[in-house]
PDB file of all heavy atoms in Angstrom:
ATOM      1  N   PRO A   1     117.538  75.363  85.908  1.00 94.00           N
ATOM      2  CA  PRO A   1     116.068  75.115  85.717  1.00 94.00           C
ATOM      3  C   PRO A   1     115.415  74.170  86.677  1.00 94.00           C
ATOM      4  O   PRO A   1     114.214  74.288  86.793  1.00 94.00           O
ATOM      5  CB  PRO A   1     116.118  74.358  84.451  1.00 94.00           C
ATOM      6  CG  PRO A   1     117.539  73.886  84.205  1.00 94.00           C
ATOM      7  CD  PRO A   1     118.380  74.795  85.042  1.00 94.00           C
ATOM      8  N   LEU A   2     116.060  73.433  87.561  1.00 96.00           N
ATOM      9  CA  LEU A   2     115.378  72.622  88.649  1.00 96.00           C
ATOM     10  C   LEU A   2     115.519  73.247  89.907  1.00 96.00           C
ATOM     11  O   LEU A   2     114.934  72.600  90.818  1.00 96.00           O
ATOM     12  CB  LEU A   2     116.127  71.218  88.577  1.00 96.00           C
ATOM     13  CG  LEU A   2     115.970  70.446  87.253  1.00 96.00           C
ATOM     14  CD1 LEU A   2     116.689  69.073  87.336  1.00 96.00           C
ATOM     15  CD2 LEU A   2     114.484  70.173  86.788  1.00 96.00           C
ATOM     16  N   ALA A   3     116.011  74.417  89.962  1.00 96.00           N
ATOM     17  CA  ALA A   3     116.072  75.063  91.344  1.00 96.00           C
ATOM     18  C   ALA A   3     114.654  75.530  91.740  1.00 96.00           C
ATOM     19  O   ALA A   3     113.751  75.880  90.933  1.00 96.00           O
ATOM     20  CB  ALA A   3     116.989  76.212  91.325  1.00 96.00           C
ATOM     21  N   TYR A   4     114.489  75.593  93.049  1.00 95.00           N
ATOM     22  CA  TYR A   4     113.233  76.155  93.645  1.00 95.00           C
ATOM     23  C   TYR A   4     113.048  77.565  93.179  1.00 95.00           C
ATOM     24  O   TYR A   4     113.965  78.395  93.197  1.00 95.00           O
ATOM     25  CB  TYR A   4     113.165  76.143  95.148  1.00 95.00           C
ATOM     26  CG  TYR A   4     113.144  74.699  95.715  1.00 95.00           C
ATOM     27  CD1 TYR A   4     114.167  74.162  96.332  1.00 95.00           C
ATOM     28  CD2 TYR A   4     112.037  73.878  95.581  1.00 95.00           C
ATOM     29  CE1 TYR A   4     114.134  72.792  96.841  1.00 95.00           C
ATOM     30  CE2 TYR A   4     111.932  72.557  96.115  1.00 95.00           C
ATOM     31  CZ  TYR A   4     113.061  72.113  96.731  1.00 95.00           C
ATOM     32  OH  TYR A   4     112.946  70.885  97.194  1.00 95.00           O
ATOM     33  N   THR A   5     111.792  78.025  92.855  1.00 95.00           N
ATOM     34  CA  THR A   5     111.483  79.316  92.428  1.00 95.00           C
ATOM     35  C   THR A   5     110.694  80.056  93.483  1.00 95.00           C
ATOM     36  O   THR A   5     110.430  81.280  93.458  1.00 95.00           O
ATOM     37  CB  THR A   5     110.766  79.340  91.092  1.00 95.00           C
ATOM     38  OG1 THR A   5     109.535  78.647  91.151  1.00 95.00           O
ATOM     39  CG2 THR A   5     111.561  78.758  90.002  1.00 95.00           C
ATOM     40  N   HIS A   6     110.158  79.303  94.435  1.00 95.00           N
ATOM     41  CA  HIS A   6     109.344  80.016  95.571  1.00 95.00           C
ATOM     42  C   HIS A   6     109.826  79.444  96.925  1.00 95.00           C
ATOM     43  O   HIS A   6     110.437  78.429  97.092  1.00 95.00           O
ATOM     44  CB  HIS A   6     107.868  79.582  95.352  1.00 95.00           C
ATOM     45  CG  HIS A   6     107.298  80.358  94.323  1.00 95.00           C
ATOM     46  ND1 HIS A   6     107.395  79.911  92.965  1.00 95.00           N
ATOM     47  CD2 HIS A   6     106.412  81.361  94.171  1.00 95.00           C
ATOM     48  CE1 HIS A   6     106.850  80.680  92.232  1.00 95.00           C
ATOM     49  NE2 HIS A   6     106.164  81.614  92.918  1.00 95.00           N
ATOM     50  N   GLN A   7     109.565  80.275  97.896  1.00 93.00           N
ATOM     51  CA  GLN A   7     109.873  79.903  99.302  1.00 93.00           C
ATOM     52  C   GLN A   7     108.670  80.197 100.118  1.00 93.00           C
ATOM     53  O   GLN A   7     107.759  80.942  99.848  1.00 93.00           O
ATOM     54  CB  GLN A   7     111.077  80.628  99.902  1.00 93.00           C
ATOM     55  CG  GLN A   7     110.892  82.165  99.920  1.00 93.00           C
ATOM     56  CD  GLN A   7     112.142  82.827 100.167  1.00 93.00           C
ATOM     57  OE1 GLN A   7     113.245  82.210 100.556  1.00 93.00           O
ATOM     58  NE2 GLN A   7     112.158  84.195 100.189  1.00 93.00           N
ATOM     59  N   LEU A   8     108.519  79.499 101.359  1.00 88.00           N
ATOM     60  CA  LEU A   8     107.434  79.770 102.323  1.00 88.00           C
ATOM     61  C   LEU A   8     107.708  81.006 102.990  1.00 88.00           C
ATOM     62  O   LEU A   8     108.775  81.364 103.567  1.00 88.00           O
ATOM     63  CB  LEU A   8     107.398  78.540 103.203  1.00 88.00           C
ATOM     64  CG  LEU A   8     106.925  77.247 102.743  1.00 88.00           C
ATOM     65  CD1 LEU A   8     106.954  76.331 103.939  1.00 88.00           C
ATOM     66  CD2 LEU A   8     105.518  77.351 102.242  1.00 88.00           C
ATOM     67  N   GLY A   9     106.625  81.776 103.184  1.00 89.00           N
ATOM     68  CA  GLY A   9     106.648  83.001 103.853  1.00 89.00           C
ATOM     69  C   GLY A   9     106.365  82.707 105.397  1.00 89.00           C
ATOM     70  O   GLY A   9     106.379  81.566 105.781  1.00 89.00           O
ATOM     71  N   PRO A  10     106.194  83.722 106.148  1.00 89.00           N
ATOM     72  CA  PRO A  10     105.980  83.485 107.573  1.00 89.00           C
ATOM     73  C   PRO A  10     104.662  82.823 107.905  1.00 89.00           C
ATOM     74  O   PRO A  10     103.722  83.046 107.066  1.00 89.00           O
ATOM     75  CB  PRO A  10     106.011  84.917 108.181  1.00 89.00           C
ATOM     76  CG  PRO A  10     105.738  85.832 106.995  1.00 89.00           C
ATOM     77  CD  PRO A  10     106.179  85.133 105.843  1.00 89.00           C
ATOM     78  N   ASN A  11     104.662  82.152 108.912  1.00 87.00           N
ATOM     79  CA  ASN A  11     103.351  81.532 109.340  1.00 87.00           C
ATOM     80  C   ASN A  11     102.291  82.579 109.686  1.00 87.00           C
ATOM     81  O   ASN A  11     102.667  83.614 110.485  1.00 87.00           O
ATOM     82  CB  ASN A  11     103.503  80.558 110.533  1.00 87.00           C
ATOM     83  CG  ASN A  11     104.095  79.376 110.232  1.00 87.00           C
ATOM     84  OD1 ASN A  11     104.005  78.738 109.161  1.00 87.00           O
ATOM     85  ND2 ASN A  11     105.049  78.818 111.100  1.00 87.00           N
ATOM     86  N   PRO A  12     101.030  82.411 109.230  1.00 91.00           N
ATOM     87  CA  PRO A  12     100.120  83.305 109.734  1.00 91.00           C
ATOM     88  C   PRO A  12      99.750  83.139 111.152  1.00 91.00           C
ATOM     89  O   PRO A  12      99.890  82.070 111.804  1.00 91.00           O
ATOM     90  CB  PRO A  12      98.789  82.963 108.885  1.00 91.00           C
ATOM     91  CG  PRO A  12      99.084  81.598 108.385  1.00 91.00           C
ATOM     92  CD  PRO A  12     100.575  81.375 108.399  1.00 91.00           C
ATOM     93  N   THR A  13      99.400  84.146 111.893  1.00 93.00           N
ATOM     94  CA  THR A  13      99.195  84.198 113.331  1.00 93.00           C
ATOM     95  C   THR A  13      97.690  84.447 113.763  1.00 93.00           C
ATOM     96  O   THR A  13      97.265  83.946 114.791  1.00 93.00           O
ATOM     97  CB  THR A  13     100.102  85.137 114.032  1.00 93.00           C
ATOM     98  OG1 THR A  13      99.855  86.481 113.562  1.00 93.00           O
ATOM     99  CG2 THR A  13     101.452  84.934 113.867  1.00 93.00           C
ATOM    100  N   THR A  14      96.937  85.057 112.960  1.00 95.00           N
ATOM    101  CA  THR A  14      95.617  85.409 113.280  1.00 95.00           C
ATOM    102  C   THR A  14      94.711  85.322 112.030  1.00 95.00           C
ATOM    103  O   THR A  14      95.263  85.411 110.842  1.00 95.00           O
ATOM    104  CB  THR A  14      95.567  86.893 113.645  1.00 95.00           C
ATOM    105  OG1 THR A  14      96.523  87.152 114.693  1.00 95.00           O
ATOM    106  CG2 THR A  14      94.333  87.269 114.080  1.00 95.00           C
ATOM    107  N   VAL A  15      93.468  84.939 112.316  1.00 95.00           N
ATOM    108  CA  VAL A  15      92.372  85.003 111.070  1.00 95.00           C
ATOM    109  C   VAL A  15      91.331  85.908 111.595  1.00 95.00           C
ATOM    110  O   VAL A  15      90.857  85.794 112.542  1.00 95.00           O
ATOM    111  CB  VAL A  15      91.773  83.515 110.860  1.00 95.00           C
ATOM    112  CG1 VAL A  15      90.694  83.598 109.914  1.00 95.00           C
ATOM    113  CG2 VAL A  15      92.849  82.638 110.401  1.00 95.00           C
ATOM    114  N   ASP A  16      91.054  86.902 110.778  1.00 96.00           N
ATOM    115  CA  ASP A  16      90.018  87.832 111.038  1.00 96.00           C
ATOM    116  C   ASP A  16      88.604  87.218 110.270  1.00 96.00           C
ATOM    117  O   ASP A  16      88.709  86.917 109.032  1.00 96.00           O
ATOM    118  CB  ASP A  16      90.276  89.161 110.302  1.00 96.00           C
ATOM    119  CG  ASP A  16      91.443  89.824 110.954  1.00 96.00           C
ATOM    120  OD1 ASP A  16      91.575  89.738 112.227  1.00 96.00           O
ATOM    121  OD2 ASP A  16      92.356  90.469 110.213  1.00 96.00           O
ATOM    122  N   VAL A  17      87.745  86.947 111.070  1.00 96.00           N
ATOM    123  CA  VAL A  17      86.457  86.321 110.584  1.00 96.00           C
ATOM    124  C   VAL A  17      85.318  87.198 110.700  1.00 96.00           C
ATOM    125  O   VAL A  17      85.111  87.845 111.770  1.00 96.00           O
ATOM    126  CB  VAL A  17      86.132  85.120 111.434  1.00 96.00           C
ATOM    127  CG1 VAL A  17      84.985  84.231 111.080  1.00 96.00           C
ATOM    128  CG2 VAL A  17      87.347  84.137 111.550  1.00 96.00           C
ATOM    129  N   THR A  18      84.391  87.307 109.626  1.00 96.00           N
ATOM    130  CA  THR A  18      83.245  88.032 109.562  1.00 96.00           C
ATOM    131  C   THR A  18      82.120  87.079 109.567  1.00 96.00           C
ATOM    132  O   THR A  18      82.120  86.123 108.854  1.00 96.00           O
ATOM    133  CB  THR A  18      83.167  88.782 108.336  1.00 96.00           C
ATOM    134  OG1 THR A  18      84.222  89.774 108.254  1.00 96.00           O
ATOM    135  CG2 THR A  18      81.758  89.649 108.319  1.00 96.00           C
ATOM    136  N   LEU A  19      81.167  87.187 110.577  1.00 96.00           N
ATOM    137  CA  LEU A  19      80.125  86.320 110.832  1.00 96.00           C
ATOM    138  C   LEU A  19      78.818  86.811 110.112  1.00 96.00           C
ATOM    139  O   LEU A  19      78.587  87.939 109.845  1.00 96.00           O
ATOM    140  CB  LEU A  19      79.800  86.136 112.234  1.00 96.00           C
ATOM    141  CG  LEU A  19      81.043  85.598 112.950  1.00 96.00           C
ATOM    142  CD1 LEU A  19      80.815  85.405 114.530  1.00 96.00           C
ATOM    143  CD2 LEU A  19      81.550  84.119 112.556  1.00 96.00           C
ATOM    144  N   SER A  20      77.767  85.909 109.972  1.00 95.00           N
ATOM    145  CA  SER A  20      76.560  86.367 109.189  1.00 95.00           C
ATOM    146  C   SER A  20      75.774  87.377 110.056  1.00 95.00           C
ATOM    147  O   SER A  20      74.897  87.993 109.501  1.00 95.00           O
ATOM    148  CB  SER A  20      75.741  85.064 108.845  1.00 95.00           C
ATOM    149  OG  SER A  20      75.432  84.401 110.029  1.00 95.00           O
ATOM    150  N   ASP A  21      75.985  87.412 111.365  1.00 96.00           N
ATOM    151  CA  ASP A  21      75.179  88.422 112.153  1.00 96.00           C
ATOM    152  C   ASP A  21      75.854  89.739 112.213  1.00 96.00           C
ATOM    153  O   ASP A  21      75.465  90.684 112.847  1.00 96.00           O
ATOM    154  CB  ASP A  21      75.085  87.859 113.517  1.00 96.00           C
ATOM    155  CG  ASP A  21      76.484  87.790 114.279  1.00 96.00           C
ATOM    156  OD1 ASP A  21      77.416  88.110 113.787  1.00 96.00           O
ATOM    157  OD2 ASP A  21      76.391  87.261 115.544  1.00 96.00           O
ATOM    158  N   GLY A  22      76.923  89.815 111.358  1.00 96.00           N
ATOM    159  CA  GLY A  22      77.579  91.184 111.188  1.00 96.00           C
ATOM    160  C   GLY A  22      78.848  91.511 112.060  1.00 96.00           C
ATOM    161  O   GLY A  22      79.458  92.485 112.086  1.00 96.00           O
ATOM    162  N   SER A  23      79.026  90.452 113.133  1.00 96.00           N
ATOM    163  CA  SER A  23      80.164  90.661 114.039  1.00 96.00           C
ATOM    164  C   SER A  23      81.391  90.234 113.360  1.00 96.00           C
ATOM    165  O   SER A  23      81.368  89.387 112.417  1.00 96.00           O
ATOM    166  CB  SER A  23      79.816  90.019 115.326  1.00 96.00           C
ATOM    167  OG  SER A  23      79.693  88.519 115.095  1.00 96.00           O
ATOM    168  N   GLU A  24      82.527  90.673 114.035  1.00 96.00           N
ATOM    169  CA  GLU A  24      83.717  90.290 113.525  1.00 96.00           C
ATOM    170  C   GLU A  24      84.506  89.692 114.691  1.00 96.00           C
ATOM    171  O   GLU A  24      84.537  90.219 115.781  1.00 96.00           O
ATOM    172  CB  GLU A  24      84.500  91.361 112.981  1.00 96.00           C
ATOM    173  CG  GLU A  24      83.910  91.939 111.597  1.00 96.00           C
ATOM    174  CD  GLU A  24      84.631  93.192 111.017  1.00 96.00           C
ATOM    175  OE1 GLU A  24      85.724  93.472 111.566  1.00 96.00           O
ATOM    176  OE2 GLU A  24      84.335  93.488 109.982  1.00 96.00           O
ATOM    177  N   VAL A  25      85.454  88.582 114.370  1.00 96.00           N
ATOM    178  CA  VAL A  25      86.121  87.979 115.443  1.00 96.00           C
ATOM    179  C   VAL A  25      87.612  87.790 114.970  1.00 96.00           C
ATOM    180  O   VAL A  25      87.852  87.483 113.811  1.00 96.00           O
ATOM    181  CB  VAL A  25      85.517  86.602 115.848  1.00 96.00           C
ATOM    182  CG1 VAL A  25      86.256  85.906 116.799  1.00 96.00           C
ATOM    183  CG2 VAL A  25      84.033  86.728 116.219  1.00 96.00           C
TER     184      VAL A  25
END
């Protein structure tokens, strides 16, 4: 009952960003 039930996944490497002018970065 006291054991961990979740583990960390891999670190994210990129963020896809959408800007208000319609461009993506």
Side-chain angles (χ1 to χ4, degrees):
L2 298 178
Y4 291 112
T5 58
H6 289 77
Q7 61 188 356
L8 289 178
N11 286 326
T13 58
T14 308
V15 173
D16 296 322
V17 180
T18 303
L19 303 176
S20 61
D21 64 0
S23 62
E24 295 182 1
V25 180

